Amino acid sequence: MKFSVIIPVYNGAGHIEACVQSIYFQQRKDCFQVEILVVDDCSTDSTQDVLSELQKKYDISAFKTEKNGGPGAARNLGLSKATGDWVLFLDSDDTMTDRALSDLSDFISNSDRKFDAVSFNWKFDEGSSQIPVNRGGRTDLNSVQKTKQERIKDFLSFGMDGSVIYTSMQREFLEKNLIRFKAGLHEDVDFIFLVYFFAENIGVLDMPLYVKNNRKDSIINSISIDHLKGYFRAFNDIYSFLKSNDSLTKIEKESGFKGLIGLVATRVRDICNYEPDDVHAYDMLHFLYKEHLKIIESYFEGVAKPHLITKYGRIYKAFLKFSRNESFDKDGVQELRRFMTDIAPKSWSCYDLHSSIFLGPDEVRACCKRFFVDNEKKGDVVLLKPPSYSFSEFTAENILKQKRDLYFRINKDEAPECSGCPFLEFKDWGHAPTLDVEHISFEYHSVCNMKCSYCSDTYYGGKKVQYDIEGLVDGLISSQKMDACNSIVWGGGEPTADKMFPTLLSKMANAFPKVRQRVITNATRHLEVVANLIEKDQVTITTSIDAGSEAVFQQVRDSKKFHLVLQNLQKYAQNKPENITVKYIVLDENNSFEEIQSFVSLVHEYGLVGCNFHISYDFNKEKVDQKSMFAVVALYALLKKLGARLIFFDDLLRHRLDNMSKDQYVSVRAFLSELGHGDAIADYNDFHEIIIWGAGTQTKELLMKSLFLKNVNVAYIVDDTPSKIGTSFGGYPVYSSKKILEDDLPVLISAVQGSPKILSKFSEMQLDEKRLIKGLIL
């Protein structure tokens, strides 16, 4: 096997030797040979003299173009001189990793497939003068592995890298298909497209073989009129090629508009970064956009245009908005620059995708959220599951890989599993997802001693864990990927039914002594290990009761152990009731006023008043019906009257509640007044300004839907999550909880699972309990 490495160079005297050396010393004659072809594109510095010296030191071939024609012309000359089986292109200010060619040779030789091309990954040189926060690397390798039609669609949608330097190609394949570079800049865009178009088999070696030296003055960190023309020329030629080959399918036509949006948005980004005040550049971009749009519309007549919800879509809309009569002025440029400064760090994601792992019996999930879009239930998004990954491949590395892939697909509007999710936020997430796990949920088996009417086979199907969960967790801990962990949950089936549970629970308690692990249990067993950790404030438990009578309990939870569960909760709550949460999921079977009254009576009878009470709703339903609405407010009112420590609605319930009108508000208050509990609801007339504690989904729902918050001023929000302090949420500044000490405003705790912890922190800070807003927020 022989590699031809083609290096175009222009005024590269200062770095060409390092580039050549990174290839020259890799040669292994027993496995592969290398020829290095350096093509000088009429440099005006001392590049020619340097090349003459390099030819004396190394076995390289040096050529010179007849006139300066750009990287494409130099690469074409190199191709005409190449004799290797495989061709790679290397920019003169970059290098390859020490084993790049060995790894590539081994990959090609050991594969049972015959590749036309092999795509690989890259990284930044640590000595680069500027390294972006995302640290580099390809995000399109999944697209490379798709079918040809899907690959082309992704490319036209602007979802793939247009660089030629991260792919090695069979020279015979290039010759057979007459693939050569065009003149001008961005010539590699249509070159690599033709590789993707003609290739029948493309291998993917997901290793960083290429090392990018990101210099401030490099060609990729600059913009000019020629750059703009070059990029549009490349895509015009691509569409012309597809049309001449009768290859414009419907799916590719739909991708054309999406690609146009990406093309415009990335050019706007580059102008703002490198020539921010160049009005002429913006005007030229608008001209090129209009010309390109005519071409696309002529090719893609009648095809629906995409929604403009992505970051690129928003930039595209802003560009058109500020162009004003198709021409920019200084004011328009300034407005666009301000918009770009604001949007630059933002992307679509959610807390769980960035910070959580959910470990199921035979899958690893990104979330446990459930929501409805157009009457379709969605959520519980999977990262790893056979056959895509075997159980032996359930590793931290692959979890991260799939998290990042999902993140990039969400931001390209190509993740239908997350489309329409109310938990997605467009904001500054700091970086793409990492494996710095803040929340881990153990749901690794579905062995359960109940079969609840609202549950699914996922949680009671009797499955046992299919992979080495202890090894996976040990690896995360030892690699310090869980150093930021502040939330550990045990759920799935019945956690206490698993033999590993006591050992794993104790292991996590030792590893994270400051974290209160939350065990979601049916409480049919009383375990000493759980009781001891409850006493030490290292474990809290949550148990769903969902009934006020044995008959309904058996109907809903398919169990006859109603009073045993209550007795075990009484034991657990004896000394630390604040660590016990009793959950009531309102269903058709248990939403009668009589059933709710009976439940509240049992709370008093078993001494559970000092516990926390979590009110939820059937996640299989899209909206809360009127009877259930009255049931949840009655339950809240009765528990409040009883003196319950804490009562809260969860996200599932809040999300399914419609925006409340004043008429509905009056109706609910009248209903509670008839029960003698009219004061259970927080009356917005009693408050002028408040503080919200919690910058999460619950607060987002309340800010959007709550009649209370529409009539009360919010001074600010507090949240002790480090990444949230100093940011804004819903237009309000976010501070640490210490800020509350500076004034005496009323405080609304707005969280779900974190509510008990926040209430404990409130008490630890010795804040006046009268400041807490304890009424129901509607």
Side-chain angles (χ1 to χ4, degrees), residues 156-333:
L156 296 181
S157 297
F158 222 78
M160 294 182 70
D161 195 301
S163 304
V164 74
I165 50 180
Y166 312 129
T167 300
S168 179
M169 295 138 281
Q170 283 251 32
R171 188 171 64 86
E172 181 182 348
F173 160 77
L174 296 177
E175 298 296 334
K176 174 185 174 182
N177 293 289
L178 303 177
I179 300 176
R180 287 295 187 273
F181 293 93
K182 299 286 182 65
L185 298 177
H186 295 299
E187 74 299 332
D188 51 348
V189 174
D190 42 326
F191 183 99
I192 197 65
F193 171 81
L194 293 177
V195 171
Y196 291 148
F197 181 87
F198 284 115
E200 295 299 328
N201 268 308
I202 301 179
V204 170
L205 178 55
D206 193 2
M207 295 174 62
L209 307 186
Y210 196 100
V211 183
K212 193 74 187 163
N213 181 8
N214 198 35
R215 295 181 296 106
K216 288 183 178 180
D217 58 346
S218 68
I219 193 170
I220 65 168
N221 289 325
S222 60
I223 190 72
S224 67
I225 298 303
D226 286 339
H227 281 89
L228 296 175
K229 289 179 178 178
Y231 229 117
F232 279 91
R233 190 276 316 154
F235 274 89
N236 288 341
D237 284 356
I238 288 171
Y239 294 132
S240 177
F241 168 82
L242 289 171
K243 188 174 183 181
S244 65
N245 282 270
D246 196 26
S247 296
L248 282 169
T249 65
K250 182 176 184 295
I251 195 168
E252 287 163 358
K253 291 177 181 179
E254 291 173 348
S255 303
F257 284 109
K258 197 170 182 180
L260 174 62
I261 291 166
L263 179 55
V264 170
T266 52
R267 299 316 97 190
V268 171
R269 179 197 63 200
D270 287 350
I271 296 172
C272 284
N273 283 342
Y274 308 126
E275 297 293 340
D277 298 315
D278 190 345
V279 176
H280 181 51
Y282 291 108
D283 281 340
M284 176 56 72
L285 176 57
H286 198 281
F287 171 78
L288 293 169
Y289 153 72
K290 294 293 287 186
E291 292 298 308
H292 193 61
L293 182 62
K294 291 177 186 176
I295 294 172
I296 289 182
E297 288 179 333
S298 68
Y299 289 167
F300 307 152
E301 185 177 356
V303 176
K305 296 181 181 180
H307 296 111
L308 302 179
I309 62 171
T310 63
K311 186 171 183 175
Y312 284 172
R314 291 166 186 239
I315 295 173
Y316 173 81
K317 286 174 67 177
F319 173 72
L320 297 184
K321 174 183 176 182
F322 296 129
S323 63
R324 298 195 184 108
N325 299 320
E326 303 188 2
S327 178
F328 276 87
D329 56 25
K330 289 185 178 180
D331 290 339
V333 168

Side-chain angles (χ1 to χ4, degrees), residues 474-525:
D474 285 344
L476 289 170
I477 294 173
S478 63
S479 62
Q480 300 180 316
K481 296 299 184 184
M482 291 186 64
D483 283 2
C485 182
N486 56 43
S487 175
I488 301 168
V489 174
W490 299 84
E494 172 54 42
T496 64
D498 177 59
K499 292 180 180 179
M500 286 196 298
F501 172 71
T503 301
L504 282 174
L505 183 73
S506 299
K507 174 182 286 192
M508 299 304 283
N510 291 330
F512 306 99
K514 295 182 180 180
V515 176
R516 292 187 185 182
Q517 302 181 67
R518 187 163 66 95
V519 180
I520 303 172
T521 173
N522 293 326
T524 55
R525 300 175 64 195

Side-chain angles (χ1 to χ4, degrees), residues 376-388:
E376 177 190 358
K377 187 171 71 175
K378 302 173 73 172
D380 287 334
V381 176
V382 175
L383 296 172
L384 305 183
K385 188 178 179 68
S388 299

Side-chain angles (χ1 to χ4, degrees), residues 315-507:
I315 295 173
Y316 173 81
K317 286 174 67 177
F319 173 72
L320 297 184
K321 174 183 176 182
F322 296 129
S323 63
R324 298 195 184 108
N325 299 320
E326 303 188 2
S327 178
F328 276 87
D329 56 25
K330 289 185 178 180
D331 290 339
V333 168
Q334 289 302 314
E335 288 182 80
L336 183 57
R337 285 183 61 188
R338 282 193 290 270
F339 171 83
M340 291 298 293
T341 299
D342 175 69
I343 202 174
K346 295 179 179 178
S347 61
W348 284 104
S349 193
C350 70
Y351 174 82
D352 281 335
L353 179 56
H354 257 71
S355 305
S356 304
I357 297 178
F358 297 80
L359 304 173
D362 56 356
E363 64 185 23
V364 176
R365 291 184 286 108
C367 74
C368 66
K369 298 294 191 292
R370 301 167 191 122
F371 58 97
F372 282 82
V373 177
D374 297 330
N375 299 315
E376 177 190 358
K377 187 171 71 175
K378 302 173 73 172
D380 287 334
V381 176
V382 175
L383 296 172
L384 305 183
K385 188 178 179 68
S388 299
Y389 287 88
S390 66
F391 293 125
S392 63
E393 294 176 312
F394 277 36
T395 62
E397 180 182 5
N398 284 331
I399 292 172
L400 176 59
K401 179 180 178 181
Q402 288 306 302
K403 273 179 172 274
R404 291 176 65 86
D405 174 66
L406 179 58
Y407 169 78
F408 289 117
R409 287 193 294 112
I410 288 170
N411 281 283
K412 291 188 281 188
D413 195 22
E414 293 176 359
E417 63 267 51
C418 295
S419 178
C421 178
F423 302 99
L424 286 175
E425 297 180 79
F426 187 71
K427 68 175 191 178
D428 180 3
W429 290 94
H431 49 70
T434 65
L435 263 186
D436 297 325
V437 180
E438 293 183 10
H439 171 82
I440 185 166
S441 182
F442 291 93
E443 306 166 13
Y444 59 85
H445 71 84
S446 58
V447 178
C448 196
N449 47 23
M450 293 186 184
K451 187 176 180 181
C452 305
S453 60
Y454 49 79
C455 204
S456 70
D457 189 61
T458 300
Y459 298 101
Y460 65 76
K463 291 181 179 178
K464 296 183 179 180
V465 66
Q466 300 294 303
Y467 54 96
D468 182 9
I469 187 167
E470 191 169 6
L472 175 59
V473 173
D474 285 344
L476 289 170
I477 294 173
S478 63
S479 62
Q480 300 180 316
K481 296 299 184 184
M482 291 186 64
D483 283 2
C485 182
N486 56 43
S487 175
I488 301 168
V489 174
W490 299 84
E494 172 54 42
T496 64
D498 177 59
K499 292 180 180 179
M500 286 196 298
F501 172 71
T503 301
L504 282 174
L505 183 73
S506 299
K507 174 182 286 192

Side-chain angles (χ1 to χ4, degrees), residues 543-549 562 566 569 582-585 590 593-606 608 612-615 635 638-639 642:
T543 298
S544 287
I545 301 295
D546 308 334
S549 65
F562 183 51
L566 289 166
L569 287 178
V582 181
K583 187 174 180 180
Y584 198 105
I585 302 176
N590 66 10
F593 184 64
E594 293 74 21
E595 195 68 21
I596 285 169
Q597 274 187 313
S598 179
F599 168 75
V600 175
S601 295
L602 288 167
V603 168
H604 176 69
E605 179 183 339
Y606 280 91
L608 302 176
N612 311 299
F613 292 87
H614 174 172
I615 304 176
L635 178 55
L638 292 173
L639 287 169
L642 190 64

